Amino acid sequence: DIPDYSYAGYHRSERGIPRVEGPIFNVLNYGAKPNDEKSDRAAIQKAIDAAGEAGGGVVLVPAGRYELAQKNDAMPLYVTHSRVIIRGEGNGEEESVLHLGEMLPPPLPLKMWGSPYVLQYGGNAPETRIGRIKADVARGGREVRVADAKDLQAGDWIILNLKDTDPDLLAEELAGFEVIDKRWTQIRKEGVMVTEHHQIESISGNVLTLTAPVIKPIDHRRKWHVVKWEQWEELGLENLRMEGDWQDEFVHHRSWQDDGGYSMVKMTGV
């Protein structure tokens, strides 16, 4: 009973990754100056924002070394519109390089895994709760019955969501697992949590046909529900290199610096 992951990839691997030709937003035209050891963050952010406000495009980072995360300018770059591609002219040492002079510290001092990512795509996408799932779905199934599908249409993205603290479900999910660290208590406190993102191919009555198969079997007696999800689309990062100045020996889980000080790229709601 192996889950079917053949649908992973760009447009479920049914299309090749396109080369977006434009419009072009060259970071040099927004004030970036490579190789001068001064922060280029604000200039690159202006180019990203201009591309987003224009409905999308290519933020071009010509060859050179661009400074981010400097001591007096340690902030992330944000991409908050769909269809924005950040493209360099090569990812070699002498080509397009985004250089991080400093680690981005966590908002709460010394908090593990709290450091911001240097380049952040998307954000918390708007969600609308549709309702409970009304029938079982086997792993590999693509039809999901809901109580009322009137607020959905073909092409919409949804989340199949489960959060349930039922003791029988917990026992079922944890069967055969050994507790190797007593600090790992989240599942017992907050319950079994499952999130699957899917696109709707078609709708017949209150039955949704999905473009890709369900991975986790759905028992409708549990607290499974459907959420409509409005995500960011067609985002990318191409042909450039990101470098940090980490010099120390890495020790797993020793500090926030080891585990996230140079966190590079994060995509949320994409």
Side-chain angles (χ1 to χ4, degrees):
D1 191 14
I2 301 174
D4 183 358
Y5 289 104
S6 64
Y7 291 79
Y10 180 76
H11 284 271
R12 300 175 296 281
S13 297
E14 296 169 354
R15 303 183 196 172
I17 297 175
R19 178 170 176 87
V20 179
E21 298 298 339
I24 300 294
F25 299 83
N26 190 319
V27 299
L28 302 184
N29 296 334
Y30 294 86
K33 296 180 180 180
N35 309 317
D36 66 353
E37 299 185 356
K38 296 180 181 179
S39 177
D40 296 291
R41 184 200 60 79
I44 296 173
Q45 186 66 63
K46 287 179 183 178
I48 291 171
D49 293 344
E53 290 164 7
V58 177
V59 177
L60 179 63
V61 183
R65 181 182 172 101
Y66 299 81
E67 298 297 331
L68 301 176
Q70 290 196 334
K71 184 171 293 185
N72 297 322
D73 194 26
M75 295 175 59
L77 292 169
Y78 298 97
V79 181
T80 56
H81 295 81
S82 293
R83 293 173 290 282
V84 174
I85 307 298
I86 301 176
R87 177 180 296 150
E89 293 186 329
N91 57 12
E93 293 183 5
E94 303 299 325
E95 297 176 293
S96 298
V97 178
L98 300 183
H99 175 253
L100 284 58
E102 299 284 335
M103 298 182 186
L104 297 187
L108 296 177
L110 306 182
K111 181 176 174 59
M112 295 287 286
W113 312 296
S115 294
Y117 284 73
V118 175
L119 177 56
Q120 301 186 26
Y121 287 85
N124 294 321
E127 297 181 359
T128 302
R129 187 181 176 109
I130 298 300
R132 291 285 295 270
I133 294 175
K134 305 300 289 184
D136 293 352
V137 184
R139 173 180 288 164
R142 295 199 300 131
E143 292 188 349
V144 176
R145 180 178 295 278
V146 296
D148 190 347
K150 64 180 177 59
D151 293 327
L152 297 171
Q153 61 184 357
D156 283 347
W157 281 88
I158 60 172
I159 300 171
L160 307 181
N161 184 267
L162 171 67
K163 186 174 182 180
D164 199 328
T165 57
D166 181 87
D168 292 339
L169 178 60
L170 283 169
E172 178 183 320
E173 291 291 328
L174 293 173
F177 287 94
E178 178 184 354
V179 178
I180 60 175
D181 190 326
K182 293 183 179 179
R183 296 173 297 175
W184 297 350
T185 60
Q186 182 179 12
I187 189 171
R188 296 190 181 279
K189 291 180 178 179
E190 300 184 25
V192 176
M193 292 177 282
V194 180
T195 300
E196 286 194 26
H197 296 81
H198 288 272
Q199 190 172 27
I200 299 174
E201 180 178 279
S202 62
I203 301 176
S204 178
N206 291 321
V207 176
L208 317 177
T209 298
L210 309 178
T211 59
V214 168
I215 300 298
K216 178 74 173 177
I218 295 174
D219 181 343
H220 78 283
R221 297 170 301 174
R222 307 300 184 191
K223 295 178 180 179
W224 282 96
H225 61 271
V226 171
V227 174
K228 185 178 179 180
W229 179 57
E230 299 177 20
Q231 82 295 341
W232 284 265
E233 297 182 304
E234 306 296 336
L235 297 169
L237 180 65
E238 304 173 352
N239 298 334
L240 57 77
R241 179 187 185 99
M242 300 184 76
E243 294 181 352
D245 268 350
W246 178 266
Q247 301 294 330
D248 296 338
E249 180 184 357
F250 171 76
V251 178
H252 192 220
H253 290 350
R254 175 178 59 183
S255 68
W256 69 267
Q257 292 98 330
D258 289 89
D259 281 19
Y262 284 111
S263 298
M264 297 296 187
V265 180
K266 182 177 183 180
M267 293 190 175
T268 305
V270 176

